[in-house]
Amino acid sequence: MALSLAIASTACAQTPNARASHASETSEMSAQSTRIDADGVALDVEFDVRPGAPVEVRYRLQNTGATPLAVFDRGDRHGVLTGRQATGDVGAPGTRDEGAGDVTLSHIARALPSPSPTLPPVPLAARVDAGGVLEGRFRASPTTLDPPKRLRWCLGVVEFDPASFSSPERVGGVEVWQASFELADRQRLVCTPWFDLAAHAFQ
């Protein structure tokens, strides 16, 4: 699996109306790796957990469907314009405390905040053609009230509709597009099963 990018985590809210694919569609590959097969997406994910270090997540997504996909792992335009990330980099994952030690990391499209900021956080998505592959990695140090006991990662994807995307840029072999905010409600989430930090294994 190619390893090219490393970032730290920031907070963002989960999209309530997005459809999620969960562990019922998942087959375990090894203690710290898993595969999710769901509706035209095959997602291989590996968690690297070491004491005192951020969690490192490596992934490889294959579009197994017949149409292109948009994958919301490239952050947002606000992050690029403010210098927090470069165009084409994997964005910082959002963090959601689910309670009882459960924490969800996510790369998703977010709806336009209200009131709208001066520099709107326009979602950025990687386009993956049918049969294509997208690889990346990120690091996260979730800051929660209680120490995390379990982690999972959710990734937002949607069928690529040219009318909902604009201003493509090709960076490092990845085609990155600016996405419409309304896709926050149309995306579906592909989620790993829970990863038990004490056991160093997916459940």
Side-chain angles (χ1 to χ4, degrees), residues 138-156:
F138 62 92
R139 286 157 59 178
S141 300
T143 302
T144 55
L145 185 61
D146 298 313
K149 296 178 181 178
R150 300 194 306 171
L151 293 174
R152 68 173 178 172
W153 175 54
C154 291
L155 177 63

Side-chain angles (χ1 to χ4, degrees), residues 22-30 33-37 43-45 193 202-203:
H22 295 290
S24 61
E25 298 167 326
T26 305
S27 57
E28 191 173 67
M29 297 165 60
S30 68
S33 61
T34 191
R35 166 169 283 192
I36 304 99
D37 291 294
L43 181 63
D44 294 318
V45 184
F202 282 101
Q203 297 181 337

